[in-house]
Amino acid sequence: MKMKWSSAILVLSVLTALFFSGARGLAQPSPASHARDFTSVEYFAPPLQRQMKSRLSGAEAQPLPGGLLVITQLKLETFTTNGSPQAIVEAPECVYDTQHNTANSAGHLRLRSGDGKIRTEGDGFLWRQDDSFLTISNHVHTVIETGPEMNTGL
Amino acid sequence: MKTFCLIALMAVTAGTAARAQSDTNAESQLLRVTDIHADGADFDGNGRTVTYHGNVRVSASDMKLTCALLIADLPQSGGHVSHIVAETNVVIDAMDSKGQTMHATSDKAVYIYNVQDGVTNETVTLTGNPQPQVENAQGTMVADVIVWDRANNGYRFTGNYHMISHQSFGVAPETNSPPATTNELAAPKANLPPGADTNFPPGKLDLVPEHHSEPPPPQTLQPKLPY
């Protein structure tokens, strides 16, 4: 099972639509509906299907015309197979383009390793999923804390 | 998920960029904090490179580096970064394993790390125009190419080598012993060869090295004909 971020968000959109349609009984799901305090979890393939691989959460997801999805308080966490945090991505707001598989924001982006010893942040970013290319436009700051237990070459 | 791999690699590589000037001795056993600031950055998951651009500043406990562009290759398995390029107005202030400070400037600096047959090779090669230069307690050394051998804590100079010693005439200079921070460069002798440039500030020695510069082209003696 190899679900990408876009897939996760698409799943989120579907779940959101289903949730709202269920909440409104027989009402038609509206493409303009949005979710609050959502979480989408991906699990490892068997036999680790009970282990969380990633967790995408946000305060709000607002669909826009053109396949755009505005997500606020985005938090993306990944985990190793033993359950420990691997990486954490946080952005107060970003726009995900489901048609072009890109995510961008003029706002802040914060990345950190699971142990918090490697951190990068900046303002304004563009993530192109198809070619795995991330650009941070302004005020990039990376901090690396290394010790004898780490093997980052530092 | 490529996203997560990229994030992890990016962070590791970004930090490892600072490794270009780090120690290989026991100091590495201590907790080190490396800061990298830049106007912007690109993380290429497919090309496996990370590029910091615009006012790049790398700061660690024993090293500071500034430049306009810093490109590092991402290691395949989160290992040691083997290739880093710093370009445009590169300035390095570092401390070697003996605790001596050095100040280097160049247009380009290339960091290479590899291990061959159990031997670690770790160099920083300074090139470009204007000529790169390294300044330490012994003096200021200029050459077309300066290789800072991190593994052996020494320097190699190639092409148009020139040194301005920090030793003054008033103090008996120990010019016959190699500089303390270099174990590869034979110390230039105080005996100036004929024609050596002596236009230098008072108190400074302007020396032409006997070694480590490119040798002059061989001269061919023409037989003297009887007519």
Side-chain angles (χ1 to χ4, degrees), chain B residues 103-143:
Chain B
H103 173 81
T105 59
S106 67
D107 181 57
K108 185 176 183 180
V110 179
Y111 169 79
I112 293 175
Y113 175 94
N114 59 58
V115 179
Q116 292 181 335
D117 299 328
V119 177
T120 300
N121 301 300
E122 185 181 21
T123 60
V124 179
T125 302
L126 309 175
T127 58
N129 187 18
Q131 272 188 306
Q133 68 176 41
V134 171
E135 181 178 2
N136 59 19
Q138 280 64 48
T140 301
M141 292 144 285
V142 182

Side-chain angles (χ1 to χ4, degrees), chain A residues 2-5 8 42 53-54 76-78 86-89 111-113 117-120 127 129-149 151-154, chain B residues 1-8 10-12 14-19 22-23 28-47 52-53 57 78-81 111 122:
Chain A
K2 194 169 186 178
M3 187 167 71
K4 296 182 178 180
W5 190 6
E42 177 194 6
K53 185 176 182 181
S54 68
L76 185 62
E77 302 164 274
T78 65
Q86 183 183 50
I88 300 161
V89 183
L111 317 173
R112 56 191 158 101
S113 60
K117 292 186 174 181
I118 304 171
R119 309 182 290 277
T120 293
W127 163 246
Q129 180 153 352
D130 290 345
D131 56 359
S132 298
F133 200 95
L134 171 69
T135 295
I136 302 179
S137 304
N138 300 290
H139 310 127
V140 180
H141 183 203
T142 299
V143 177
I144 304 100
E145 296 177 1
T146 53
E149 73 281 6
N151 185 27
T152 62
L154 276 169
Chain B
M1 297 176 99
K2 280 184 176 180
T3 309
F4 307 138
C5 294
L6 178 67
I7 291 165
M10 173 200 67
V12 169
T16 313
R19 172 65 179 138
S22 68
D23 266 343
S28 61
Q29 297 302 309
L30 303 174
L31 178 67
R32 292 170 52 86
V33 177
T34 301
D35 271 287
I36 302 175
H37 287 85
D39 290 347
D42 295 314
F43 306 95
D44 186 348
N46 289 340
Y52 288 90
H53 46 82
R57 290 153 288 154
H80 203 298
V81 170
Y111 169 79
E122 185 181 21

Side-chain angles (χ1 to χ4, degrees), chain A residues 32-47:
Chain A
S33 61
H34 67 277
R36 292 182 185 277
D37 299 325
F38 61 88
T39 298
S40 176
V41 176
E42 177 194 6
Y43 292 91
F44 284 102

Side-chain angles (χ1 to χ4, degrees), chain A residues 31-125:
Chain A
S33 61
H34 67 277
R36 292 182 185 277
D37 299 325
F38 61 88
T39 298
S40 176
V41 176
E42 177 194 6
Y43 292 91
F44 284 102
L48 301 173
Q49 68 273 19
R50 289 173 175 269
Q51 298 268 22
M52 226 183 342
K53 185 176 182 181
S54 68
R55 179 169 54 202
L56 174 71
S57 59
E60 188 173 4
Q62 174 70 55
L64 293 178
L68 303 179
L69 193 63
V70 178
I71 303 174
T72 58
Q73 302 303 323
L74 169 75
K75 185 174 184 180
L76 185 62
E77 302 164 274
T78 65
F79 303 89
T80 63
T81 52
N82 64 13
S84 60
Q86 183 183 50
I88 300 161
V89 183
E90 292 175 291
E93 180 178 294
C94 83
V95 178
Y96 188 79
D97 186 334
T98 59
Q99 295 180 352
H100 299 97
N101 294 331
T102 62
N104 71 86
S105 172
H108 202 66
L109 175 71
R110 182 179 293 121
L111 317 173
R112 56 191 158 101
S113 60
D115 60 6
K117 292 186 174 181
I118 304 171
R119 309 182 290 277
T120 293
E121 59 184 318
D123 295 322
F125 69 90

